Amino acid sequence: MTSPIPFQNIRVLSFDIYGTLIDWESGLHTGLLSSPLGPHLRSLPRKRVLETFEDLEVQIQKESPTMLQSGVNAEAVRRYAQRLGVVEALGGEAALDEAAKVFGDSLGEWPTFEDTVGAIQRLGQRFKLVPLSNVDNESWGKAARGPLSECRFDAVYTAENIGSYKPDPRNFEYLFEHIKQDFGAEKEQLCHVAQSLYHDHAAIKPFGITSVWVDRKGFMGGKTEGRSEAAKADEYGYQLRVETLAELADIIDKAMA
């Protein structure tokens, strides 16, 4: 595939982590089914479970933009149990709080996609790599020491440091300011790589930043059913769509050859 992005002019790749590098949907679904809430969710379609959790998560992030992501996930479990009316069946509020905390703290252990590590290692030979993540610092540290331990990043900008969650424009303004401070790079030398249309692409579009949609074929991060490729690219502003990071690395290798 010929790249519509002049990667020769790009110095920094910024990444969403959960959903793009780490398999957010599998980690989330497996964790929910393994929790005490699991018996009440197993009969439900995976899509319904994930989209319900996402709705709760987005609501909590809007209400409490300085709450850590691990806490957001825990609170989403509490609200999910309340919505299903199973708090007492789980042993009451105290038991639910403990189960929710265990689930929230598991965020740093969720697995990467199969292509992540090799692709990040390849991309790191050409660009500065900078996660812009909604995750908190402690959970990021666990992921960096665990499933992402073979990946090298040049800086990490988290929602905890910024004080707000994507899609808040402040997160992207923080990104632009800090790549300038940290690497002397201008916005025109940045390419943002992300799965979530809602959290990332729609939010960064007004800034006119080059972006790549990593379409992981999941249920979360934005609805695209029934729309053509051209319509989706126009709405969300990305210049290139790939299905894996390995595909992106291949395209860049060809473009830079």
Side-chain angles (χ1 to χ4, degrees), residues 125-145:
Q125 296 175 16
R126 298 187 183 277
F127 309 100
K128 298 294 184 182
L129 306 183
V130 180
L132 178 71
S133 180
N134 275 352
V135 76
D136 58 275
N137 293 334
E138 182 176 355
S139 297
W140 164 256
K142 291 179 182 177
R145 295 188 298 272

Side-chain angles (χ1 to χ4, degrees), residues 27-71:
L28 175 59
H29 194 249
T30 299
L32 287 172
L33 295 189
S34 300
S35 76
L37 199 57
H40 305 280
L41 299 176
R42 290 194 181 100
S43 63
L44 301 178
R46 175 185 170 109
K47 182 176 187 288
R48 179 177 169 186
V49 171
L50 293 173
E51 290 184 342
T52 299
F53 188 94
E54 183 177 39
D55 289 343
L56 293 168
E57 176 203 29
V58 169
Q59 177 185 3
I60 295 162
Q61 288 175 339
K62 289 179 179 178
E63 293 172 357
S64 305
T66 60
M67 181 183 288
L68 303 185
Q69 183 64 46
S70 57

Side-chain angles (χ1 to χ4, degrees), residues 231-246:
K232 287 182 284 190
D234 181 65
E235 178 177 356
Y236 293 107
Y238 58 85
Q239 287 74 42
L240 176 65
R241 173 192 165 276
V242 297
E243 294 185 4
T244 67
L245 287 177

Side-chain angles (χ1 to χ4, degrees):
M1 177 179 179
T2 302
S3 171
I5 298 173
F7 282 106
Q8 296 89 342
N9 301 332
I10 300 297
R11 292 182 55 199
V12 179
L13 297 182
S14 53
F15 291 89
D16 171 58
I17 297 298
Y18 282 82
T20 305
L21 276 63
I22 287 180
D23 190 347
W24 171 264
E25 294 194 7
S26 293
L28 175 59
H29 194 249
T30 299
L32 287 172
L33 295 189
S34 300
S35 76
L37 199 57
H40 305 280
L41 299 176
R42 290 194 181 100
S43 63
L44 301 178
R46 175 185 170 109
K47 182 176 187 288
R48 179 177 169 186
V49 171
L50 293 173
E51 290 184 342
T52 299
F53 188 94
E54 183 177 39
D55 289 343
L56 293 168
E57 176 203 29
V58 169
Q59 177 185 3
I60 295 162
Q61 288 175 339
K62 289 179 179 178
E63 293 172 357
S64 305
T66 60
M67 181 183 288
L68 303 185
Q69 183 64 46
S70 57
V72 170
N73 282 11
E75 178 61 19
V77 167
R78 293 187 193 94
R79 295 190 188 187
Y80 211 148
Q82 292 164 357
R83 178 175 293 190
L84 293 173
V86 299
V87 175
E88 293 306 314
L90 297 179
E93 292 288 351
L96 174 58
D97 286 347
E98 179 58 30
K101 184 178 186 306
V102 170
F103 176 78
D105 289 345
S106 72
L107 182 58
E109 303 165 6
W110 295 359
T112 63
F113 292 98
E114 290 185 0
D115 61 285
T116 293
V117 173
I120 288 295
Q121 290 175 343
R122 291 168 62 190
L123 295 170
Q125 296 175 16
R126 298 187 183 277
F127 309 100
K128 298 294 184 182
L129 306 183
V130 180
L132 178 71
S133 180
N134 275 352
V135 76
D136 58 275
N137 293 334
E138 182 176 355
S139 297
W140 164 256
K142 291 179 182 177
R145 295 188 298 272
L148 292 171
S149 61
E150 296 179 67
C151 300
R152 178 190 60 79
F153 299 101
D154 298 284
V156 179
Y157 310 143
T158 69
E160 181 178 356
N161 292 337
I162 299 166
S164 58
Y165 283 100
K166 295 180 295 180
D168 193 306
R170 288 178 293 178
N171 293 62
F172 297 97
E173 290 165 355
Y174 185 100
L175 169 65
F176 307 147
E177 177 184 350
H178 282 73
I179 63 166
K180 176 71 171 179
Q181 292 179 2
D182 295 344
F183 310 114
E186 304 295 339
K187 290 191 295 185
E188 294 76 17
Q189 297 173 303
L190 169 71
C191 178
H192 189 59
V193 181
Q195 175 271 334
S196 180
L197 296 168
Y198 167 75
H199 293 91
D200 291 87
H201 292 286
I204 206 170
K205 180 184 176 183
F207 294 102
I209 301 302
T210 300
S211 67
V212 175
W213 178 30
V214 184
D215 180 8
R216 293 290 192 179
K217 302 297 185 182
F219 299 122
M220 303 171 76
K223 307 298 187 288
T224 63
E225 294 88 347
R227 277 176 282 182
S228 68
E229 285 298 325
K232 287 182 284 190
D234 181 65
E235 178 177 356
Y236 293 107
Y238 58 85
Q239 287 74 42
L240 176 65
R241 173 192 165 276
V242 297
E243 294 185 4
T244 67
L245 287 177
E247 181 184 352
L248 175 60
D250 288 343
I251 290 170
I252 290 174
D253 283 347
K254 182 178 179 180
M256 303 283 269

